[in-house]
Amino acid sequence: MLLRAAAIRRAAVAAYSTAAARPETGLYGFDVLRTAKGFRRFVDEAIQRSDELVAHIAQLPPSAEIVRAMDEISNTVCSVIDSAELCRNTHPDREFVEEGDKASMRIYEHLQYLNTNTTLYNAILKAESEGVLLTDETRKAANNLRVDFEKGGIHLPKDKLERVNQLNLAIAQLGRKFNENIMMKPGFVDIYPASRIPRSIQHNFKAVSRSRPMGIEEQSNPMNTTRQKGLRILADSGTLSSALRWVSDEEVRRQAFIAGNSEPRENIAVLDELIDARDEFAKTMGCKSYAEFAIRPNMAASADVVMAFLNDLSDIVRHKADEEFNTIRDFKRRKCNQKSADLEPWDEDYYIGMMKSSAHSVDPSVVASYFPLSQCIKGLNVLVESLFGATFNQIPMGDGESWHPDVIKLSLHHPDQGDLGFMYLDLYSRKGKYPGCAHFAIRGGRRLSDSEYQLPIIALVCSFSSSRGLTARLNHWDVETLFHEFGHALHSLLSRTEYQHFSGTRVALDVAETPSNLFEFYAWDYRVLRTFALDETTGDPIPEKLVKALNASRNMFPATELQRQIFYSIMDLTLFGEHTSKPLDTISAVADLKRKHTSWNYVEGTHWHTRFSHLINYGAGYYSYLYARCFATTIWHEVCQDDPLSCSTGSVLRDKFLRYGGAKDPSALLKDFVGDSVIRNAGGGIIPDISSLRKEVGL
């Protein structure tokens, strides 16, 4: 049974005060990470162990043991990479962050050495060619390892290989710089007087002051030193969205929008360098663009297939998106009593929010009263217990294992199968922490022997606000986000693969977001919400009428949101696609794409894409969110919708999908799961069937 979040936090603080009573360990349970400098030894030991395994592989005859030894190398290196990445994004101690950053770069350099190691490459080639790999999963693992070597350029002449290694390192460093700039330089705007911002949201912004502008009376009295109070809107995504949603003063919204979409300016140049580096890398590898290189191993198979899919979807959604735009514009004109008022990008959240509230009487504060974070965590437990017969149990951490008093550790336990994996929860926002929500792997699952399995360890990280030790209350979109990330977590925790190379989310990019998109549906279903969304005072479940109103509100402007995701995907594919001229002016290119593929104006001088971190993590792969949404919508309708919390639904989800991780061909996985019609062949690649999505959006 999970405790209320406030009690959890108090218990965590108490545990910190009695650290001596707990067994000593290091960060995430790694003994070597008892101090920040332990990351140095962590890297040293990983390099030493991987070198030992390379020497061992060199002595092996062609066999499945080669694949297993290479997977152990991957397991060793990934433990360092994943731990360093989580530390860099969440640890409050700057020394840990810096050491994690250094460790990440050192191990990445070693990974480049491994990826171009001819001993390993030749060993996997022989194992593949001599027919000694007896299982489908082992053959797929060998194939993936060989492809990974070739993606690293191992087949290239020495001079080109050296250049590829240099480019890979530069690409990694540019990606870090891009993301650091987003975190450290969000931009801001100061608003005077503070009364221009509703009192109900002023707590989201920093108080500032300035010398009061002097009128005639003040000028005649030099002793008047009163200062004018204002508020600073930091333009990080959460704070900015709050301002754009709730501030009625259009000029404030305009200033906030421009501030939030004009920083960090430094990323204009960083992105230019990244595009050039990826382009040169891809062409050295024999591809016409980085998009072609990135997409070739996926189900889609080519950038042309993806672009055709996106353009078709853009055309299909345009008419309904234009209708929705005109509806919002007409609403603004009535509210402002201006028959020719234009609808601007900074108006979208404000007027859509107003229209939804007025049409369906959805009071956000009432909705939030049913979603204290503690109850939402219980909701995650309801899901795993109903679907999979498992439960989350809070377990104590060793001294040094946690990185903040807010962090708790859960085991996912099945009464017959024992522990299935472990999950850290770090759910509250704090200074210096990754500002969004994300699933971080720490250790992948893999088969160690016939009787022993290495259990996965992951962290689910969010940035929900909380004050004075009270549990956070989530708006419903936050609940959806929590369930989205939980879908990733379940993929990691419930997969059972021979090799950690296939554990959980280590799948073809086309399907990686499918479980997360699927579990978003659970966040909107009354049969699910009534099990945990309870009134804090009475304990009554959320009224069905309110959930229906939430769904009706959600369904008011579905084409607008779908059009936005299509635009993001086309932008990503264009920036890393073929370019007729260099250098590419990314600001102009993105502006042109927005005009072509959305119903909204482009605001001159802004460059929103320079804070779009998916360009780093999903370069030329953002389309996978749309693929996943199509797959998840079909799965929901075909598998889950009739009885979303039944054991039979859970059995199908686990046994036909989640358990495989990346060990099964994704197209075969999907067809075996929901039927042949879930995908279609197109232009030598595979695209999703969009009929369920069209129905969902009302196209």
Side-chain angles (χ1 to χ4, degrees), residues 7-149:
I8 289 172
R9 299 177 81 187
R10 287 195 297 271
V13 173
Y16 263 60
S17 66
T18 58
R22 297 179 296 164
E24 288 190 10
T25 185
L27 196 61
Y28 320 132
F30 293 110
D31 282 341
V32 71
L33 296 182
R34 296 190 183 196
T35 67
K37 288 184 173 59
F39 268 109
R40 302 178 187 182
R41 185 176 156 202
F42 202 16
V43 175
D44 291 341
E45 290 179 352
I47 292 173
Q48 180 181 348
R49 178 57 182 153
S50 63
D51 286 346
E52 290 170 356
L53 287 164
V54 170
H56 173 63
I57 290 168
Q59 304 302 315
L60 289 174
S63 64
E65 178 59 25
I66 288 173
V67 178
R68 191 162 296 281
M70 285 196 190
D71 190 65
E72 187 173 344
I73 293 175
S74 178
N75 182 72
T76 302
V77 172
C78 285
S79 291
V80 178
I81 292 173
D82 294 338
S83 298
E85 191 65 17
L86 177 60
C87 180
R88 290 175 56 244
N89 282 281
T90 63
H91 208 292
D93 187 327
R94 193 66 200 167
E95 185 184 5
F96 267 94
V97 172
E98 291 172 356
E99 289 293 339
D101 194 54
K102 293 174 186 174
S104 184
M105 290 309 298
R106 276 189 66 207
I107 199 68
Y108 185 80
E109 290 176 11
H110 184 66
L111 184 62
Q112 291 300 110
Y113 156 75
L114 292 171
N115 284 341
T116 55
N117 186 293
T118 54
T119 298
L120 298 178
Y121 181 58
N122 290 331
I124 209 71
L125 283 177
K126 286 185 178 179
E128 272 196 299
S129 64
E130 296 193 15
V132 295
L133 308 179
L134 303 181
T135 69
D136 289 342
E137 186 171 347
T138 301
R139 285 190 290 271
K140 188 173 190 299
N143 176 76
N144 283 24
L145 288 165
R146 175 178 53 77
V147 169
D148 286 344
F149 281 120

Side-chain angles (χ1 to χ4, degrees), residues 466-481:
S466 180
S467 59
R468 298 185 181 90
L470 299 176
T471 184
R473 285 181 170 190
L474 306 189
N475 63 54
H476 191 260
W477 292 107
D478 286 335
V479 177
E480 182 187 64
T481 300

Side-chain angles (χ1 to χ4, degrees), residues 178 182 262-265 267-268 271 607-612:
F178 191 93
I182 293 172
S262 304
E263 293 288 348
R265 286 200 60 81
N267 274 357
I268 298 172
L271 182 58
H607 42 88
W608 163 87
H609 60 288
T610 60
R611 61 190 302 167
F612 190 50

Side-chain angles (χ1 to χ4, degrees), residues 75-320:
N75 182 72
T76 302
V77 172
C78 285
S79 291
V80 178
I81 292 173
D82 294 338
S83 298
E85 191 65 17
L86 177 60
C87 180
R88 290 175 56 244
N89 282 281
T90 63
H91 208 292
D93 187 327
R94 193 66 200 167
E95 185 184 5
F96 267 94
V97 172
E98 291 172 356
E99 289 293 339
D101 194 54
K102 293 174 186 174
S104 184
M105 290 309 298
R106 276 189 66 207
I107 199 68
Y108 185 80
E109 290 176 11
H110 184 66
L111 184 62
Q112 291 300 110
Y113 156 75
L114 292 171
N115 284 341
T116 55
N117 186 293
T118 54
T119 298
L120 298 178
Y121 181 58
N122 290 331
I124 209 71
L125 283 177
K126 286 185 178 179
E128 272 196 299
S129 64
E130 296 193 15
V132 295
L133 308 179
L134 303 181
T135 69
D136 289 342
E137 186 171 347
T138 301
R139 285 190 290 271
K140 188 173 190 299
N143 176 76
N144 283 24
L145 288 165
R146 175 178 53 77
V147 169
D148 286 344
F149 281 120
E150 290 166 359
K151 285 169 67 177
I154 197 166
H155 57 292
L156 297 173
K158 184 177 179 182
D159 58 334
K160 288 188 175 182
L161 179 57
E162 288 179 359
R163 182 56 182 157
V164 161
N165 287 338
Q166 293 169 0
L167 288 167
N168 267 323
L169 190 58
I171 288 166
Q173 291 170 336
L174 288 166
R176 287 168 179 275
K177 186 63 176 175
F178 191 93
N179 285 332
E180 285 172 6
N181 287 339
I182 293 172
M183 290 181 66
M184 305 305 294
K185 301 175 181 180
F188 67 89
V189 60
D190 291 340
I191 302 299
Y192 293 95
S195 58
R196 296 174 72 186
I197 294 176
R199 293 186 66 86
S200 61
I201 63 167
Q202 287 187 5
H203 65 277
N204 292 322
F205 312 116
K206 180 182 178 181
V208 292
S209 64
R210 67 179 181 185
S211 299
R212 186 182 296 274
M214 291 192 295
I216 295 174
E217 291 185 16
E218 287 85 353
Q219 291 177 22
S220 64
N221 181 7
M223 300 302 291
N224 189 333
T225 59
T226 60
R227 297 183 65 79
Q228 185 179 37
K229 294 180 179 179
L231 290 168
R232 174 167 294 176
I233 301 176
L234 277 176
D236 62 89
S237 58
T239 308
L240 180 61
S241 64
S242 178
L244 295 176
R245 170 65 181 89
W246 298 108
V247 175
S248 59
D249 187 322
E250 181 170 351
E251 177 58 21
V252 172
R253 295 199 310 273
R254 187 190 71 82
Q255 291 182 34
F257 179 89
I258 291 173
N261 289 276
S262 304
E263 293 288 348
R265 286 200 60 81
E266 293 85 351
N267 274 357
I268 298 172
V270 174
L271 182 58
D272 287 344
E273 289 185 58
L274 179 66
I275 289 170
D276 287 346
R278 282 179 168 172
D279 187 64
E280 183 185 348
F281 168 81
K283 286 174 177 171
T284 305
M285 295 294 294
C287 295
K288 58 186 179 181
S289 69
Y290 182 77
E292 195 67 35
F293 172 83
I295 294 170
R296 189 167 56 182
N298 298 339
M299 284 171 36
S302 84
D304 291 341
V305 168
V306 176
M307 189 61 86
F309 169 76
L310 295 173
N311 281 323
D312 288 347
L313 205 53
S314 180
D315 291 341
I316 290 168
V317 79
R318 185 62 189 244
H319 178 70
K320 186 172 176 63

Side-chain angles (χ1 to χ4, degrees), residues 485-528:
E485 298 303 336
F486 187 61
H488 286 309
L490 287 177
H491 205 181
S492 290
L493 294 170
L494 295 178
S495 71
R496 284 297 177 268
T497 57
E498 286 290 312
Y499 306 105
Q500 73 87 39
H501 197 77
F502 293 140
S503 179
T505 57
R506 291 166 183 169
V507 299
L509 187 62
D510 300 325
V511 295
E513 293 291 335
T514 301
S516 55
N517 275 262
L518 176 63
F519 276 88
E520 288 182 17
F521 284 98
Y522 279 82
W524 293 92
D525 193 286
Y526 173 67
R527 294 164 293 180
V528 177

